[in-house]
Amino acid sequence: MKKIALYCRVSTNEQTTENQQIKLIEHANRMGWNYSLFEEVQSTTKARPIKSNLLQRLRKDEYDGIAVFRLDRYARSTTELLLEIQELVKKGIEFHNLSEQLDFSSASGRLHLAVLSVFCEFERSLLRERVILGQQRAKSHGKKIGRPKGITDKRKRKTDGYYKRGNRKSFMKEYQKNLPPNNYDFSNV
């Protein structure tokens, strides 16, 4: 008996996954699957801990496949959808969606996946073009592009093994003091 993960997602606490659950559970029972239900609620940010956990479990072969009610409930962008489905299909993990009824393990499903990839590439190209045009327009109005000097992120970054530019210079100057004379000048590093 196949073990399938059923994934439901809504964007806010005011919404419910009940309709998705009903359809997915009915389908799982019809197919004779052994299933577990994964419910993501209030996933308005990019972080979706339930989905991340599910993907890790799928990668560890804890499930034979995943079923979703609709593709848009699984992924927010075409790029995300395509990359994750390709990864799962390559690993031999089944991906079922009830509404669109695409089977990515069949020839027609792979065709749909190829078409999705074309749209994904198109979407990325359009985004890139818009970003470049926006940057050019901003530069023509005298605005600087990129992160302002002195701004730091609110989240802690991994810095092990790396020196920030200012720290690196002071480290190298201190290091140079302990070297014998006539060695390389590290002040421009």
Side-chain angles (χ1 to χ4, degrees), residues 10 16-17 20 40-41 43 49 51 78 82 110 127 134 137 139 145 148 173:
V10 292
T16 177
T17 62
Q20 295 176 50
E40 190 96 60
V41 178
S43 59
K51 182 181 175 190
T78 312
L82 177 69
R110 286 190 299 277
L127 178 63
R137 184 180 44 76
K139 281 182 182 178
I145 305 299
K173 284 181 182 178

Side-chain angles (χ1 to χ4, degrees), residues 4-9 19-21 23-25 27-28 33 36-38 51 54-55 58 65-75 81 84-85 88 94-102 104:
I4 303 292
L6 308 180
Y7 179 74
C8 307
R9 180 179 72 84
N19 289 337
Q20 295 176 50
Q21 286 181 29
K23 296 290 186 185
L24 286 168
I25 291 171
H27 186 72
W33 293 338
S36 299
L37 186 66
F38 293 83
K51 182 181 175 190
L54 173 58
L55 282 171
L58 286 164
I66 181 173
V68 296
F69 181 64
R70 291 177 48 129
L71 291 176
D72 68 339
R73 295 293 84 204
Y74 180 73
L81 177 69
E84 289 179 3
I85 289 177
L88 296 174
E94 298 175 8
F95 188 95
H96 304 272
N97 77 71
L98 276 59
S99 296
E100 292 86 3
Q101 297 183 356
L102 297 174
F104 296 113

Side-chain angles (χ1 to χ4, degrees), residues 8 11 13 23 36 45 63 76 119 134 165 171 186:
C8 307
S11 299
N13 282 332
K23 296 290 186 185
S36 299
T45 62
Y63 294 94
R76 285 202 173 94
F119 282 109
R165 186 162 176 76
F171 170 80
F186 288 103

Side-chain angles (χ1 to χ4, degrees), residues 11-163:
S11 299
T12 66
N13 282 332
E14 290 80 35
Q15 298 172 322
T16 177
T17 62
E18 189 174 345
N19 289 337
Q20 295 176 50
Q21 286 181 29
I22 291 168
K23 296 290 186 185
L24 286 168
I25 291 171
E26 283 175 0
H27 186 72
N29 289 331
R30 249 191 332 270
M31 299 299 289
W33 293 338
N34 183 10
Y35 63 87
S36 299
L37 186 66
F38 293 83
E39 182 181 17
E40 190 96 60
V41 178
Q42 194 176 359
S43 59
T44 55
T45 62
K46 285 188 175 185
R48 283 172 276 169
I50 304 295
K51 182 181 175 190
S52 296
N53 180 6
L54 173 58
L55 282 171
Q56 290 302 320
R57 294 176 75 175
L58 286 164
R59 289 175 182 130
K60 292 177 184 174
D61 294 326
E62 290 183 33
Y63 294 94
D64 299 315
I66 181 173
V68 296
F69 181 64
R70 291 177 48 129
L71 291 176
D72 68 339
R73 295 293 84 204
Y74 180 73
R76 285 202 173 94
S77 71
T78 312
T79 305
E80 176 188 356
L81 177 69
L82 177 69
L83 293 174
E84 289 179 3
I85 289 177
Q86 282 179 334
E87 176 190 356
L88 296 174
V89 169
K90 282 180 185 175
K91 286 184 66 70
I93 298 168
E94 298 175 8
F95 188 95
H96 304 272
N97 77 71
L98 276 59
S99 296
E100 292 86 3
Q101 297 183 356
L102 297 174
D103 176 11
F104 296 113
S105 63
S106 69
S108 64
R110 286 190 299 277
L111 172 64
H112 281 93
L113 192 58
V115 171
L116 267 175
S117 69
V118 169
F119 282 109
C120 174
E121 185 63 35
F122 179 67
E123 180 183 33
R124 276 192 298 233
S125 297
L126 284 179
L127 178 63
R128 183 177 184 279
E129 287 174 7
R130 285 192 297 260
V131 167
I132 290 171
L133 285 174
Q135 287 176 339
Q136 289 171 346
R137 184 180 44 76
K139 281 182 182 178
S140 71
H141 287 87
K143 293 185 180 178
K144 292 186 179 183
I145 305 299
R147 178 183 285 187
K149 288 185 180 180
I151 299 297
T152 58
D153 291 335
K154 292 180 182 175
R155 68 185 171 116
K156 186 175 178 173
R157 297 219 178 249
K158 181 179 176 184
T159 57
D160 293 344
Y162 299 95
Y163 288 101

